[in-house]
Amino acid sequence: IRKKLGEEAVELLLAPKREEMIYEGADLLYHLLVLLVFEDIPFRELEAELARRHQQPGTAEASGDPD
């Protein structure tokens, strides 16, 4: 599952057009969800982590920095 997730991430990064990015992004998200289920990690834990990062001043996530 992890290997497939990595492959999908690379395909998304290499997608040259918006439509292909959407397609590959959907694949990446799907395989991430499969991995989370396999590892018994509820999606709400990812949501909570993102919320925590968004609330921390000085983090790249909080500042909106995409890198």
Side-chain angles (χ1 to χ4, degrees), residues 8-56:
E8 296 300 338
V10 170
E11 289 175 5
L12 174 61
L13 292 171
L14 297 177
K17 297 180 182 175
R18 183 178 193 277
E19 295 80 21
E20 293 174 43
M21 290 181 71
I22 292 168
Y23 184 88
E24 297 301 342
D27 280 351
L28 178 63
L29 183 56
Y30 171 80
H31 287 90
L32 173 59
L33 294 172
V34 169
L35 178 61
L36 292 175
V37 169
F38 182 78
E39 296 292 339
D40 195 30
I41 300 171
F43 188 76
R44 68 181 173 274
E45 289 187 29
L46 268 69
E47 291 176 309
E49 175 62 18
L50 290 171
R52 183 190 66 79
R53 291 181 186 190
H54 185 69
Q55 294 173 358
Q56 290 181 348

